[in-house]
Amino acid sequence: RGGGRFGGGRGGGRFGAPRPSELMVKTNYFRVELVKDGGTLEHNEWVQYDVEIRDATKKRIGPYQEGGEGGGPPPRFEIVPKPPRNGKDWIMDLERSSVGVLARRIMTKVSEQEMQNNPSFQYLVFDGKKSAYAPQRLFTESPTTTGVNPDGTTMPNIYGPADTETENRPKAPQGSSALYNFFDVTVKKDCDEHDAYAGRVKNAHFRVKLTQVGIIPYSHLYNYMSNKSTETTKLSLYQQCMDIMLKSAMLKVDMMAFGGSPRAFYFPPEYQKDLIGNAGKLASYFGQYDKHSYFPMVGLSQATRFCENGGVFINTDSVIDWFNRGEHPSSSSSYNQEAPKPVCILDDKSHKIAGVKIGDVNRPILDRRVQEDIENALNKLTLHVKYKRPVDPEWAARQRERGKSQDWIEQRNIFVRRNKTMRPDPREGGNNTCIKWAADDPNIYTFELKPPRPRRPRNNDGTPGTTMEQEAQPKEEEAKEEEPPGEMITVYHYFQRRYNITLKYPKMPIVFIGKEGWYPIEFLYQAFGKAKAANSSEQVRDILSYYDSHAGPKCVEYIEHLNNRLNVLQSKMGLDIGTIMSQFNLRKSDQPLRVMAKVLQEPVLKFQSMEGQLRNGSWNLNRVKFDTVADLSSFAILDMTPGRGINYFRNLLKVCVNHGMTLPENVNPEQMMELVVHTDNRARNPGEIFDAVSTAIEKARYEILLDRSELFQSKKVWFKSRVINKSNGLVEDCLVIPPPQNIDNEVGIILREDVWRHTHEITNVHNGETANARIMGKFVGYDAVDPFNYRWNGQSHEVRSSANSNSWTRAEFLGHVYALDDGKTLVSEAEIERNPMPTMRLETWQVECPCVLLVFLPDNTSERYHIVKMASHFSFGVPCQCAVADTFSRQKNQDQYCSNIALKLNTKLSNSWNKARAWGTYFNTGGGQEGGIPWVKDVPTFVMGIGVSHGLGADSISVIGASVALDEGCMRMAQELKVQTKSDMIADSVMQDIVKALAIQFTTANKGKSPERILVYRDGISEGNLNRSKENELRSIRQAFYDFHRMYYPNFSCDNSHCEGRGCLFCTPPITFIVCQSQHSIRVVPDEEPADRNKNVHSGTCLDHTVMDFRNKLNMTETLPEDPSIELFEVKDEGYDFLLTAQGGLKGTSKPIYYRVLLNENAIWKKGPTPLTKDALQLCTYHQSYQYGTATKAVRSVPVVYYSKRLAEMAMGYINYLRGRKGELPDTVGGVIGNQLEDVSEEEQKYLPRGRDGAPIGRFKFVRQDADPNESLPSEIRTELLPSFSPFERRLEDSNKWRSPFRPHLSA
């Protein structure tokens, strides 16, 4: 396992198995076949309906009659739509995920209600959104079903993905008519009809309008699947229909779904024990004595896939999730059987609330941390409310006389609220109060209880009547009568007075659950439902054991087993999945698709003195020295355990030396242990942690940079570091001359002689003459040794044996001398005045110190980790490397753990000077081996990865991390971080800022060579946004490179008259744009189970046919030029998409990355010796997977994407602190603010995030608060949230200059 905060992964290797060039695999794709009856299709069309659901109410019909309980016939009612309020209709917004469950419940009731008269309704399919489909027309034209909307418009016959109009809802031509019908239904709004307490839940009434909006001819799909037509324009509409049909069919056979737009459907709880069986450790959750408040459930997700060559498949995958129990398992035996018990939120036996230990249940909870834990736990739950008042004997006797049963009487005294969530009380002034911490304390919460109003009689027509007293009262007095004042009481006294219920635990909290109000915690019960944030170590371990038991070929076999179980489920009317699909002329094959995949060639890895031994994508660091080592020139140390970190830090430094890394020169490493800053391991709030980080970094600067304890001066040597030249932005090696005791903001600098010869201005003690000279060391046998050629090794002085040599000779130090410009005259210290002034003095920010912060965390607490990273990166501009005490102490081989930390450090401290990398990568050619990544190494190639992390909620943010490979081996990285308003697309200006900054980093690191080709890997794009990404983000990348060329090359211009300053193929490098889809459900496993312990496909298994999307083809953004001077490759217009399993998994089932090639100009545009063919792209991508410099295995995705996602997720962990949305930071930290983005194009308006009122949310990109708004700075500098790691430095003398940062790599 790896080091760092999270340890290593679960990958492994295939030991001893031969590596083939191809492999027969099977997938979880099941072919869809056409169903014919006697050679003809049963139905030749599908019908599409638009669904509108409107809130309704019951209206009494006829005069009022007393009824129901013996007073005559019951009153009659009809359902009518609610009248508009404030000009707004009561129409359900089916695009909101929160209404999906209720919408499905309503449409299920419509089907059940109507199919008695029209059996076709049982085949109406609907998934909770605005579209429904049926295999035939549900109603025909009649006076009641044909009409024109009030504005003279109706729906046309295009709706859904094929519709290109605004908001998917275009208007039909004026005066056209549509076929529609209304259906009135009554359902339980808060629970299902079969809920045990459904009778105590209020009914809700709705009117459903089905409008026929399209007739979808079946012939087009038939021609595509029969390979009679290659027309694909309408396939998206067929795919939407088939997806909805699959989801609705699973619901009809009683599979369970949760959420507004479900993708997973779960087998009912009574099937789970049998389905899970003895998989891993999950069987114990179904034992009769299991006390967990949660349990696992398995299910299926199914989606239609239209693939190349007419293939249509259903992608079926198994899913498993944790669910909160509604009831504990019953404890049964032959002598005793108990009914299942509900899961109480307050467990008075174990003294817990929602699993949080609270101590005494008879005392208020005062500990703020316990209160926070309880609030967090309750926020994850769906709640039931249930309480029972004592039965009034007189009332009960009257009910018995009326023939009511005892059970009916008991039920009438039970009060329930079903499926509620804790939420803030809006009456509390917007302070988000959800919990009050005692029910009986008037100082905590009281409310006004008003006296009950007298019940008014009703007239014969049902309207409210008046009492005799009201009739006698003058009208003017009635108008003046004021409502009597209420009484302020607690929740405890309310239940005591209103319901005659005395709370058992009045000191326990009360919880607000919406308009129903505040309820005591003892009335709350856990509702059955999907668990939120179910990621405890026990839950993760048990789920992984489940996946391990269904690994490799067993994964697809288990999916087949679940498919078979699904096929035998039936609805209440006897329908099954096969029958429903057959009504749409379709049938799903029972056999998974089997195809032949290829296995790509592995690279060759070389360390400093040996070649790495690869075993199915894995290797180790045992007894190897890194190929090119980083210099650990200085560091700060923070031990947050405290006291347990010294052993770890010593071990880490020892292992770093073993791997060849250089420790701080001129100081004994043991003395560096005195820099350790200890802090309380209970420190959790941002202020405490920030202060600890600040103390550690400032102590390192005080002791090392300023040398206040004379670690260096006492040995007559200097601290070695690097420095930024303020005039030109260049960075050079330097030795630091400590300042006098009264100066802290500047230091003296010694540069190498060929850069800046003079070090001091010396003054002759005899005549006062001054001269510039260079300080030298005098040793026995050496008259003058340059400061860069001698050192202190911790025990004695050493002199370099020869120039540029790494060989050192022990020598006795005699003193300092000063060499004048003639190169011959040496002046002794006795001949000059004491403490000569350095000739070069710089501000301390220009000198790198420390180069890294080493942190020893007590545990894996995410908040502490994120605050440490925020303080280190955002506030102090220092890379940070964390390790976890608990993980370190559990290691059997602690040196191996430290080796992985050393690997991370070597990668993180790599830069343009040391060019550090742990290993070199080579590939075999016909003539031997070549270094670097295939195709990338030919010419300077800009390999960029983009990862995005989205916050929760529509008004949140998106954090964009980006990385670029600086070398031909794609192992040294530079990174960028930007923040914008939440959006799937990166805003134009944000993308341009990212690309320009990384282009500067790349060109600077490659000594002025700008990119000739661009290869972009983009993560985080969903299927529906592929075209938007291609259109918008590609445009921004071209614009960024055009602007970069204008900045970098003053005489740059474009000869293309159509370019117009936007960038084009003629003036910017050709682009290959690839979307890396990791969140898919495709499984690729060996067809037969391997003989060894590894059940997965080989590392490098690549599948690029049969299951590829039907849109898979070569794309060009522009028409190819006819200019004969432009050279083009001759390449077939074939698809470039592929599935690549780069990792060699040992446990679980390896999941491939789906690489979607949206554009590949490098396959045609001749900017290098070879085109980027399909084979070249696959090999290039696979070899990059070996370049993740923090793991000794090939990783699943390319490192430029991995690093970018890690950076984005790291920043997402702390960005809300900087926005002032979370915790309190010291005033000196600063933060970020939003600058409004420009308006998006008209076609993008419909994609803008919207608030609850439907209005678009303002779009912003975020800048540092310390970026002076009055200062004239370009956008790429103002939006730079981590300036210490960017190429821009505002403090340079010329603001147009840039520099290479000390350490550009953050997320290793």
Side-chain angles (χ1 to χ4, degrees):
R1 292 178 181 271
R5 175 174 172 249
F6 296 104
R10 289 164 47 80
R14 184 192 296 270
F15 297 93
R19 185 177 179 84
S21 60
E22 59 182 18
L23 180 69
M24 179 62 73
V25 298
K26 59 183 175 182
T27 72
N28 58 338
Y29 271 45
F30 296 80
R31 190 176 292 276
V32 175
E33 302 165 346
L34 302 175
V35 177
K36 294 185 179 181
D37 183 10
T40 61
L41 298 173
E42 185 174 352
H43 305 301
N44 60 7
E45 63 185 22
W46 296 345
V47 186
Q48 182 180 12
Y49 293 94
D50 177 63
V51 181
E52 179 184 281
I53 301 177
R54 185 187 296 262
D55 279 17
T57 186
K58 284 174 66 175
K59 180 181 179 182
R60 190 184 305 276
I61 302 175
Y64 177 78
Q65 302 178 53
E66 289 289 345
E69 294 189 1
R76 296 172 55 213
F77 296 92
E78 67 173 350
I79 296 176
V80 296
K82 287 184 179 179
R85 184 168 67 178
N86 298 327
K88 188 175 182 181
D89 287 328
W90 295 79
I91 297 176
M92 188 179 293
D93 182 4
L94 295 178
E95 297 304 316
R96 288 178 54 193
S97 60
S98 58
V99 303
V101 174
L102 178 58
R104 293 196 296 271
R105 191 178 300 147
I106 293 168
M107 291 301 293
T108 300
K109 192 65 175 288
V110 169
S111 294
E112 293 174 354
Q113 224 172 245
E114 297 299 319
M115 68 184 182
Q116 304 298 328
N117 301 320
N118 184 355
S120 297
F121 265 89
Q122 63 185 322
Y123 304 118
L124 176 67
V125 294
F126 173 77
D127 71 342
K129 297 298 182 183
K130 293 193 66 62
S131 289
Y133 294 88
Q136 55 190 1
R137 304 187 191 210
L138 299 177
F139 40 82
T140 56
E141 187 170 348
S142 69
T144 61
T145 60
T146 306
V148 180
N149 289 336
D151 62 352
T153 63
T154 67
M155 299 294 173
N157 61 356
I158 299 179
Y159 184 78
D163 175 19
T164 59
E165 299 294 319
T166 305
E167 297 184 1
N168 246 10
R169 297 288 301 274
K171 292 184 176 182
Q174 187 75 16
S176 63
S177 62
L179 209 60
Y180 62 82
N181 208 346
F182 294 104
F183 307 92
D184 296 332
V185 294
T186 299
V187 299
K188 301 295 181 182
K189 193 170 185 178
D190 295 332
C191 68
D192 292 326
E193 301 288 333
H194 59 264
D195 188 281
Y197 291 96
R200 300 297 295 145
V201 176
K202 292 182 179 180
N203 289 327
H205 313 286
F206 300 93
R207 172 162 289 181
V208 177
K209 179 183 179 182
L210 289 182
T211 305
Q212 181 178 306
V213 296
I215 301 297
I216 308 172
Y218 189 77
S219 57
H220 187 82
L221 178 63
Y222 173 79
N223 290 334
Y224 178 78
M225 296 178 67
S226 304
N227 262 328
K228 295 180 179 179
S229 170
T230 58
E231 177 62 38
T232 61
T233 54
K234 295 183 179 180
L235 292 186
S236 294
L237 186 58
Y238 286 102
Q239 183 173 349
Q240 182 191 50
C241 174
M242 292 173 67
D243 279 340
I244 292 176
M245 181 264 296
L246 286 172
K247 293 179 180 180
S248 187
M250 287 191 282
L251 288 172
K252 287 179 182 291
V253 297
D254 292 333
M255 294 285 279
M256 307 182 73
F258 301 85
S261 184
R263 296 182 180 178
F265 295 78
Y266 302 87
F267 290 91
E270 58 267 24
Y271 290 84
Q272 294 297 327
K273 182 177 180 180
D274 180 46
L275 289 173
I276 290 178
N278 295 318
K281 300 180 180 180
L282 298 181
S284 62
Y285 288 87
F286 298 94
Q288 64 185 47
Y289 299 109
D290 183 65
K291 299 301 180 184
H292 287 97
S293 63
Y294 51 86
F295 72 109
M297 285 180 61
V298 297
L300 287 170
S301 68
Q302 298 195 100
T304 310
R305 296 286 181 256
F306 281 76
C307 299
E308 58 190 20
N309 300 323
V312 180
F313 301 91
I314 294 178
N315 178 205
T316 306
D317 195 19
S318 65
V319 293
I320 182 167
D321 283 299
W322 293 105
F323 283 74
N324 293 321
R325 296 186 190 274
E327 298 173 334
H328 285 294
S330 59
S331 177
S332 60
S333 66
S334 57
Y335 301 100
N336 179 39
Q337 183 166 348
E338 299 178 1
K341 295 181 179 179
V343 179
C344 303
I345 298 299
L346 173 62
D347 187 342
D348 54 357
K349 293 182 179 179
S350 61
H351 290 204
K352 291 181 180 179
I353 293 180
V356 178
K357 195 74 175 177
I358 59 172
D360 193 346
V361 294
N362 295 309
R363 294 184 179 180
I365 301 169
L366 302 178
D367 189 322
R368 182 57 192 155
R369 292 185 180 180
V370 175
Q371 291 179 355
E372 289 177 358
D373 291 342
I374 291 173
E375 188 168 354
N376 290 335
L378 289 176
N379 269 323
K380 298 176 183 178
L381 298 178
T382 303
L383 305 169
H384 292 328
V385 181
K386 177 187 171 185
Y387 55 96
K388 181 179 179 181
R389 68 180 174 190
V391 178
D392 181 3
E394 295 181 2
W395 176 84
R398 291 196 303 271
Q399 302 310 315
R400 293 190 190 97
E401 291 174 0
R402 295 177 177 177
K404 301 300 181 182
S405 66
Q406 184 62 32
D407 183 61
W408 185 91
I409 293 172
E410 293 290 337
Q411 286 291 322
R412 295 290 290 182
N413 285 277
I414 296 176
F415 297 85
V416 298
R417 303 288 186 272
R418 308 297 279 177
N419 298 305
K420 301 297 180 180
T421 55
M422 184 177 72
R423 57 187 60 192
D425 186 350
R427 298 165 297 186
E428 292 287 317
N431 58 4
N432 294 326
T433 302
C434 306
I435 304 178
K436 303 289 186 180
W437 296 100
D440 65 345
D441 189 342
N443 295 318
I444 293 180
Y445 180 71
T446 59
F447 67 98
E448 184 181 9
L449 179 64
K450 296 182 178 180
R453 295 180 178 179
R455 186 172 182 179
R456 301 179 68 180
R458 289 186 175 271
N459 301 319
N460 287 334
D461 61 356
T463 59
T466 56
T467 63
M468 293 179 61
E469 291 80 1
Q470 290 172 331
E471 290 286 351
Q473 190 175 26
K475 295 295 182 183
E476 58 271 12
E477 292 184 15
E478 181 181 355
K480 294 179 181 179
E481 183 181 4
E482 294 183 1
E483 191 177 73
E487 177 186 0
M488 302 302 293
I489 63 171
T490 63
V491 170
Y492 171 81
H493 291 101
Y494 169 78
F495 280 97
Q496 196 173 50
R497 183 176 305 178
R498 179 73 180 271
Y499 298 104
N500 196 23
I501 298 175
T502 301
L503 298 185
K504 189 176 180 180
Y505 303 108
K507 301 299 181 184
M508 289 291 95
I510 56 175
V511 177
F512 188 78
I513 61 167
K515 63 182 180 180
E516 285 84 0
W518 294 87
Y519 285 93
I521 199 84
E522 62 187 82
F523 290 173
L524 302 185
Y525 298 86
Q526 181 172 284
F528 168 73
K530 197 171 180 180
K532 298 178 182 177
N535 53 6
S536 69
S537 58
E538 180 185 31
Q539 290 170 321
V540 172
R541 180 198 66 204
D542 291 349
I543 289 293
L544 290 178
S545 71
Y546 164 84
Y547 284 120
D548 289 343
S549 65
H550 297 112
K554 290 182 179 179
C555 171
V556 175
E557 291 169 8
Y558 187 61
I559 293 172
E560 290 182 72
H561 171 65
L562 294 180
N563 253 332
N564 294 333
R565 293 298 296 267
L566 174 65
N567 291 337
V568 300
L569 293 179
Q570 291 187 341
S571 70
K572 298 174 184 177
M573 302 301 296
L575 284 178
D576 57 40
I577 291 281
T579 303
I580 297 172
M581 289 189 67
S582 67
Q583 290 297 313
F584 287 83
N585 308 116
L586 302 172
R587 180 175 60 222
K588 176 184 175 183
S589 171
D590 294 332
Q591 296 298 314
L593 176 69
R594 289 171 168 83
V595 291
M596 186 67 73
K598 54 186 174 183
V599 181
L600 303 179
Q601 180 190 67
E602 289 182 307
V604 177
L605 304 188
K606 293 184 179 181
F607 294 94
Q608 194 174 103
S609 58
M610 62 184 294
E611 188 173 302
Q613 300 298 313
L614 295 182
R615 294 179 176 177
N616 194 34
S618 182
W619 61 99
N620 64 61
L621 298 176
N622 189 26
R623 294 190 297 274
V624 301
K625 290 190 181 295
F626 297 150
D627 183 55
T628 310
V629 295
D631 50 321
L632 194 60
S633 59
S634 60
F635 48 82
I637 306 178
L638 176 60
D639 181 5
M640 302 186 73
T641 49
R644 295 164 54 194
I646 295 296
N647 181 48
Y648 158 74
F649 291 122
R650 288 194 175 109
N651 207 29
L652 174 62
L653 296 182
K654 178 196 73 174
V655 170
C656 286
V657 172
N658 292 342
H659 288 303
M661 295 179 67
T662 58
L663 297 185
E665 286 194 11
N666 297 328
V667 65
N668 189 335
E670 189 61 31
Q671 289 180 287
M672 302 295 284
M673 292 299 103
E674 299 175 6
L675 298 177
V676 177
V677 171
H678 298 284
T679 186
D680 190 347
N681 62 343
R682 293 174 297 178
R684 291 175 61 180
N685 72 66
E688 293 174 333
I689 298 173
F690 183 89
D691 289 343
V693 172
S694 175
T695 301
I697 292 176
E698 291 304 323
K699 184 174 183 179
R701 288 174 176 168
Y702 185 84
E703 297 293 344
I704 299 175
L705 182 61
L706 303 180
D707 197 20
R708 292 312 188 198
S709 297
E710 299 190 351
L711 291 174
F712 302 97
Q713 294 179 74
S714 62
K715 302 299 185 294
K716 305 300 181 181
V717 289
W718 300 272
F719 163 53
K720 186 177 181 180
S721 184
R722 289 194 175 88
V723 65
I724 298 175
N725 189 326
K726 194 173 182 179
S727 63
N728 58 20
L730 297 178
V731 179
E732 304 288 350
D733 286 336
C734 73
L735 299 173
V736 179
I737 303 171
Q741 289 292 332
N742 60 340
I743 298 178
D744 287 340
N745 62 347
E746 70 173 23
V747 291
I749 295 298
I750 301 175
L751 299 177
R752 293 191 182 276
E753 188 171 9
D754 58 343
V755 176
W756 185 266
R757 185 177 189 283
H758 302 138
T759 64
H760 291 81
E761 183 182 34
I762 59 176
T763 303
N764 190 303
V765 293
H766 303 294
N767 57 24
E769 291 184 0
T770 61
N772 290 328
R774 184 172 183 84
I775 193 170
M776 310 288 274
K778 185 176 182 179
F779 295 83
V780 173
Y782 302 90
D783 291 334
V785 181
D786 191 84
F788 285 89
N789 290 332
Y790 69 89
R791 68 182 185 184
W792 173 259
N793 65 9
Q795 297 177 343
S796 62
H797 287 93
E798 293 179 331
V799 174
R800 197 185 300 271
S801 300
S802 60
N804 301 321
S805 169
N806 284 325
S807 176
W808 298 82
T809 303
R810 185 174 179 177
E812 182 181 350
F813 182 78
L814 299 177
H816 286 131
V817 294
Y818 294 86
L820 300 183
D821 285 345
D822 60 10
K824 299 178 181 179
T825 306
L826 298 177
V827 181
S828 68
E829 291 181 291
E831 298 177 71
I832 63 173
E833 294 183 359
R834 297 183 60 186
N835 300 322
M837 185 66 68
T839 55
M840 180 175 288
R841 297 184 298 277
L842 298 179
E843 297 177 54
T844 53
W845 66 264
Q846 295 174 253
V847 184
E848 183 189 39
C849 181
C851 69
V852 68
L853 169 66
L854 304 176
V855 183
F856 200 53
L857 299 170
D859 52 44
N860 266 336
T861 304
S862 59
E863 286 189 43
R864 184 185 286 113
Y865 171 81
H866 288 139
I867 297 169
V868 166
K869 291 290 185 179
M870 175 191 66
S872 181
H873 294 168
F874 182 86
S875 298
F876 297 102
V878 177
C880 177
Q881 179 59 56
C882 295
V884 178
D886 292 345
T887 307
F888 177 72
S889 61
R890 288 197 306 267
Q891 300 297 314
K892 294 181 180 179
N893 186 346
Q894 294 182 341
D895 280 2
Q896 183 178 349
Y897 179 88
C898 289
S899 278
N900 282 278
I901 297 291
L903 176 62
K904 295 172 186 288
L905 280 172
N906 196 71
T907 304
K908 197 169 294 187
L909 298 180
S910 175
N911 54 30
S912 297
W913 304 275
N914 57 40
K915 295 179 171 55
R917 64 181 188 183
W919 54 81
T921 306
Y922 299 80
F923 61 96
N924 293 314
T925 64
Q929 292 183 347
E930 292 188 26
I933 299 298
W935 187 80
V936 172
K937 67 171 293 299
D938 296 341
V939 297
T941 303
F942 188 83
V943 182
M944 179 174 70
I946 301 173
V948 182
S949 179
H950 298 295
L952 300 177
D955 64 340
S956 188
I957 56 172
S958 295
V959 179
I960 301 106
S963 305
V964 66
L966 300 176
D967 63 328
E968 63 183 22
C970 295
M971 200 164 187
R972 294 191 293 110
M973 301 286 167
Q975 297 188 289
E976 274 293 305
L977 179 71
K978 304 291 181 184
V979 183
Q980 68 174 34
T981 310
K982 187 174 182 179
S983 175
D984 291 333
M985 294 295 103
I986 301 174
D988 290 348
S989 62
V990 174
M991 177 66 88
Q992 291 169 28
D993 292 345
I994 289 173
V995 173
K996 279 188 281 188
L998 292 181
I1000 292 172
Q1001 295 259 41
F1002 181 93
T1003 305
T1004 305
N1006 286 278
K1007 299 181 179 179
K1009 292 182 180 179
S1010 60
E1012 296 183 25
R1013 303 184 297 202
I1014 301 171
L1015 176 57
V1016 179
Y1017 293 93
R1018 170 72 155 91
D1019 181 73
I1021 296 293
S1022 62
E1023 190 79 21
N1025 288 321
L1026 292 178
N1027 286 334
R1028 290 178 60 208
S1029 175
K1030 178 184 173 183
E1031 293 170 5
N1032 299 336
E1033 296 180 358
L1034 275 170
R1035 181 180 64 241
S1036 299
I1037 293 172
R1038 287 205 196 281
Q1039 182 69 65
F1041 266 94
Y1042 180 87
D1043 294 342
F1044 163 71
H1045 287 150
R1046 291 282 302 274
M1047 281 193 308
Y1048 212 87
Y1049 306 106
N1051 298 323
F1052 170 79
S1053 64
C1054 180
D1055 296 332
N1056 181 9
S1057 59
H1058 300 289
C1059 178
E1060 297 178 351
R1062 297 189 301 263
C1064 64
L1065 259 173
F1066 297 90
C1067 62
T1068 61
I1071 299 174
T1072 298
F1073 192 88
I1074 305 171
V1075 171
C1076 312
Q1077 291 184 333
S1078 58
Q1079 301 302 314
H1080 60 77
S1081 301
I1082 307 174
R1083 300 289 181 265
V1084 178
V1085 300
D1087 185 34
E1088 297 181 357
E1089 188 161 328
D1092 59 8
R1093 61 174 179 161
N1094 186 1
K1095 310 304 180 187
N1096 286 295
V1097 296
H1098 294 269
S1099 165
T1101 299
C1102 180
L1103 181 60
D1104 59 4
H1105 61 89
T1106 308
V1107 297
M1108 298 298 104
D1109 189 88
F1110 70 91
R1111 291 160 293 194
N1112 177 29
K1113 62 179 181 178
L1114 178 66
N1115 292 301
M1116 292 293 294
T1117 55
E1118 303 175 31
T1119 303
L1120 296 177
E1122 298 180 357
D1123 188 339
S1125 64
I1126 297 176
E1127 295 185 82
L1128 302 175
F1129 294 114
E1130 293 184 5
V1131 179
K1132 295 180 180 178
D1133 186 12
E1134 59 180 0
Y1136 278 71
D1137 294 358
F1138 60 98
L1139 285 159
L1140 175 62
T1141 306
Q1143 73 277 25
L1146 184 60
K1147 290 189 174 184
T1149 302
S1150 296
K1151 186 176 179 181
I1153 294 290
Y1154 191 5
Y1155 292 96
R1156 308 291 297 274
V1157 185
L1158 303 190
L1159 177 70
N1160 188 8
E1161 293 172 346
N1162 286 295
I1164 295 177
W1165 208 259
K1166 200 166 186 179
K1167 289 285 184 160
T1170 56
L1172 187 56
T1173 62
K1174 179 190 291 189
D1175 291 338
L1177 176 59
Q1178 293 168 1
L1179 191 64
C1180 163
T1181 302
Y1182 177 48
H1183 281 205
Q1184 286 183 64
S1185 300
Y1186 284 77
Q1187 301 301 78
Y1188 189 54
T1190 66
T1192 55
K1193 55 178 65 67
V1195 290
R1196 186 176 169 219
S1197 186
V1198 286
V1200 285
V1201 167
Y1202 249 125
Y1203 287 133
S1204 301
K1205 280 190 67 69
R1206 285 198 62 181
L1207 180 62
E1209 289 166 359
M1210 189 187 304
M1212 180 59 76
Y1214 62 71
I1215 193 68
N1216 279 332
Y1217 289 105
L1218 300 177
R1219 297 174 68 201
R1221 301 280 185 94
K1222 185 177 180 182
E1224 293 186 6
L1225 296 171
D1227 294 337
T1228 56
V1229 176
V1232 295
I1233 55 177
N1235 276 10
Q1236 190 157 6
L1237 283 165
E1238 69 281 357
D1239 291 335
V1240 298
S1241 59
E1242 186 174 342
E1243 62 269 18
E1244 283 288 303
Q1245 290 284 341
K1246 59 185 175 183
Y1247 298 111
L1248 291 176
R1250 298 175 184 271
R1252 291 184 178 274
D1253 58 355
I1257 296 172
R1259 301 172 65 251
F1260 296 90
K1261 58 181 176 180
F1262 290 81
V1263 301
R1264 290 181 69 107
Q1265 285 182 344
D1266 57 6
D1268 187 354
N1270 298 320
E1271 188 178 0
S1272 178
L1273 293 173
S1275 174
E1276 58 266 22
I1277 297 181
R1278 293 184 54 78
T1279 58
E1280 192 57 69
L1281 300 186
L1282 303 174
S1284 297
F1285 306 95
S1286 84
F1288 307 109
E1289 178 51 69
R1290 281 177 280 165
R1291 292 169 290 190
L1292 294 177
E1293 291 178 353
D1294 186 345
S1295 61
N1296 293 324
K1297 295 290 185 182
W1298 44 78
R1299 46 88 180 183
S1300 290
F1302 288 127
R1303 315 285 176 176
H1305 195 167
L1306 277 172
S1307 61

